[in-house]
Amino acid sequence: ENRLGSGALNLSTELGRGIWVMADPKALGTVIENLLSNAYKYADDPRQTTVTLDGDRDDVFIVVSDLGNGIAGKEMSRIFQPFYRVGDELTRQAPGSGLGLFLSKEIILRHHGEIRVASRGKGLGSSFTIRLPRLVK
């Protein structure tokens, strides 16, 4: 939010305590920053973005949710492909290369995790869930 300007994302966080993963902090930060950047690019004011960190015995879950443009069902299976961009006019006006989600997925896979997306459809926002193996301390 510091890069975009205070309040630009209307960001709220729900962060669990005592949750650890074995990860490259810079790489994981790149993934989170990409998801937050997309939440900014693909939503109109007033934005509402939430980041949640939680876990169970085996896994850690990071969820980035927004109330932006959402993703049509037919686009979901392609959203992590390189150079793919959602094909409506509004999306085409937003700057980007179509590599951010592809690179995010590659980073998460290299951390032995997974990333998936959910959306109730166009105009209804989206939610990206990252699952990583939990580090037991």
Side-chain angles (χ1 to χ4, degrees):
E1 193 161 36
N2 290 337
R3 290 180 191 232
L4 299 171
S6 181
L9 284 169
N10 193 20
L11 183 63
S12 65
T13 56
E14 300 169 14
L15 307 176
R17 297 186 182 269
I19 299 173
W20 299 92
V21 296
M22 180 70 74
D24 175 339
K26 187 172 182 179
L28 193 54
T30 297
V31 172
I32 301 301
E33 187 173 320
N34 180 62
L35 296 176
L36 292 174
S37 174
N38 284 349
Y40 179 80
K41 285 193 299 190
Y42 300 113
D44 296 323
D45 283 326
R47 292 173 180 85
Q48 186 174 347
T49 312
T50 304
V51 177
T52 304
L53 171 67
D54 201 359
D56 61 22
R57 184 173 165 242
D58 299 319
D59 297 305
V60 170
F61 302 96
I62 303 167
V63 181
V64 178
S65 302
D66 65 60
L67 295 178
N69 296 335
I71 303 165
K74 66 181 181 178
E75 314 261 22
M76 298 287 231
S77 64
R78 301 178 64 197
I79 201 83
F80 293 105
Q81 293 178 355
F83 304 109
Y84 183 75
R85 301 197 58 212
V86 176
D88 62 41
E89 287 301 317
L90 181 61
T91 301
R92 289 186 194 135
Q93 293 173 8
S97 64
L99 288 174
L101 290 176
F102 168 74
L103 293 173
S104 294
K105 182 176 181 177
E106 290 300 309
I107 290 169
I108 296 302
L109 288 174
R110 284 182 169 76
H111 283 83
H112 307 287
E114 68 179 350
I115 183 171
R116 53 185 199 270
V117 62
S119 178
R120 293 178 300 180
K122 290 184 65 65
L124 299 174
S126 57
S127 181
F128 288 83
T129 301
I130 299 167
R131 184 202 51 79
L132 295 167
R134 186 170 188 155
L135 178 64
V136 180
K137 288 192 111 185

